[in-house]
Amino acid sequence: MSQEKELDPLGSARQLFGARLRRMRKAKGWSLDVLEAKVPLSKSQLARVERGSYLPPEKLPALLDDLFGTEDLFAELYVFACREAVQQYGYNLLLDHERRAVGIKEYAGVLIPGLLQTEGYARALFRSTAARDEAWQEEQLAIRMARQTRLRGENPPHHAVILDEAAVRRPVGGPAVMREQLEYLITMVETPWCVIQLLPFSYGEHGMLGGAVHLLTMPDNRTFAYEESSGNGTMMEAPDRVQRHVRHWDRLWAYAVKPQETAAFLRQVIEALPGSTASPTDTAPVFALTPTTPTPRTDVFNVRHATLGGNSES
């Protein structure tokens, strides 16, 4: 029988997670085979988690806390392990602020935002970034899926997304993956906690072109702005810089089409994908997306979200 490798719990947050898991498992007198029967991971995956060489999937920490009666120990260690796996300082701040925000506004200019990505869509993006590094792909996928858990929790933040037409036109992952992604967006277009509005190409140039912007309102009413481009992200706290982004976002929100029209457009994009049941003449959506003169918005999201301090001065 091979001897287990000695662990270094101080080496990293991931190694600390693994060391605590091994300690709890042995305290129960369980082998990896016993633990394998209780959680949705193979014996080899569990061994890698204990060694700190594998970031566990998002559902494992809560399962371990239930199994060992450790309250939120593994859930909290997992948060730190995810933060540690992301090297960019600005992105670490984004993850931290997302977990605490009561309101999140986003402009997505090129891609579907991470909080709304399906697993297939996200996996395709990571594969295109590092095609030969499957371990990195799985690690980043786990982090991305973990970010979405709060949106499905008991007290999610209010989430408003301006989705540029370019983001829904680019068939990331191929027709089947994109179809699944767009169908998921349709379910999220208008819920008690989420509103998505599409900004058509016909709007033209604007102050947020070139990347993605996140506006995160904290429980104390402070708002942070996170600006992201390819491979880079910057978190901004200075009021003048934040308010500049807030004003741009509010203007685009006024010009974006309503959720019902957004859903109708997404359905036509789906029908135009290869392999759909649309007729050969349906090569592109024909739904008219004509921006109108902005008027004061009184829809359900803005009425709710105004109480969070997320709206800017005109």
Side-chain angles (χ1 to χ4, degrees):
M1 182 176 179
S2 61
Q3 186 175 7
E4 289 181 318
K5 179 183 177 181
E6 185 176 350
L7 303 179
D8 178 15
L10 301 181
S12 66
R14 191 183 307 183
Q15 289 173 301
L16 179 59
F17 186 105
R20 291 292 176 267
L21 173 55
R22 180 178 290 181
R23 178 189 296 180
M24 296 296 178
R25 174 175 64 79
K26 289 192 169 184
K28 288 277 191 179
W30 293 348
S31 66
L32 284 174
D33 296 285
V34 173
L35 185 57
E36 179 184 32
K38 299 177 182 295
V39 298
L41 263 72
S42 68
K43 179 180 177 180
S44 62
Q45 287 174 318
L46 288 169
R48 290 167 60 199
V49 169
E50 288 193 355
R51 293 195 301 269
S53 61
Y54 177 66
L55 185 69
E58 59 175 314
K59 294 181 181 179
L60 182 65
L63 289 175
L64 294 177
D65 282 326
D66 287 340
L67 279 174
F68 298 118
T70 47
E71 295 185 348
D72 295 326
L73 171 65
F74 287 103
E76 291 172 353
L77 287 175
Y78 183 67
V79 169
F80 286 105
C82 286
R83 292 178 63 181
E84 187 178 73
V86 180
Q87 299 302 315
Q88 302 100 319
Y89 176 66
Y91 190 58
N92 274 329
L93 286 176
L94 173 65
L95 299 184
D96 181 63
H97 289 354
E98 277 184 350
R99 280 189 290 271
R100 297 185 296 114
V102 295
I104 300 174
K105 294 179 174 181
E106 295 191 73
Y107 165 73
V110 180
L111 298 169
I112 306 302
L115 291 177
L116 293 173
Q117 288 176 7
T118 62
E119 182 174 327
Y121 186 98
R123 190 183 296 277
L125 291 177
F126 295 135
R127 189 183 302 117
S128 69
T129 302
R132 297 184 178 181
D133 194 342
E134 293 185 6
W136 179 87
Q137 294 172 31
E138 292 300 320
E139 181 177 276
Q140 297 306 309
L141 182 65
I143 295 169
R144 181 140 306 176
M145 296 299 103
R147 285 175 59 196
Q148 299 179 6
T149 55
R150 188 163 172 241
L151 297 181
R152 301 188 292 269
E154 294 182 357
N155 189 30
H158 293 281
H159 190 204
V161 179
I162 300 172
L163 197 58
D164 198 284
E165 186 173 345
V168 304
R169 294 284 195 180
R170 185 178 300 280
V172 171
V177 168
M178 197 63 192
R179 183 177 295 107
E180 179 186 41
Q181 176 65 74
L182 296 176
E183 288 172 348
Y184 175 67
L185 289 179
I186 290 173
T187 69
M188 299 296 290
V189 156
E190 189 171 18
T191 74
W193 301 102
C194 183
V195 177
I196 302 172
Q197 296 191 173
L198 188 125
L199 185 72
F201 282 145
S202 54
Y203 181 77
E205 72 282 354
H206 56 80
M208 288 186 170
L209 273 176
V213 173
H214 308 246
L215 300 169
L216 305 114
T217 300
M218 300 293 110
D220 62 3
N221 240 20
R222 288 184 302 160
T223 297
F224 296 86
Y226 179 77
E227 187 176 46
E228 187 175 23
S229 57
S230 180
N232 296 288
T234 303
M235 184 67 72
M236 289 165 277
E237 186 176 3
D240 58 335
R241 298 187 68 185
V242 172
Q243 285 304 309
R244 182 182 66 190
H245 284 295
V246 171
R247 285 192 293 270
H248 285 315
W249 191 95
D250 284 349
R251 185 175 183 85
L252 295 184
W253 184 255
Y255 276 94
V257 300
K258 293 182 179 181
Q260 299 89 337
E261 295 170 343
T262 295
F265 180 76
L266 293 176
R267 290 189 187 96
Q268 293 199 23
V269 175
I270 291 172
E271 291 171 1
L273 289 170
S276 71
T277 57
S279 66
T281 58
D282 295 333
T283 56
V286 296
F287 190 87
L289 290 176
T290 304
T292 58
T293 302
T295 56
R297 300 301 297 273
T298 57
D299 58 78
V300 62
F301 180 85
N302 275 346
V303 170
R304 251 189 219 116
H305 197 59
T307 64
L308 303 177
N311 294 328
S312 69
E313 297 178 357
S314 59

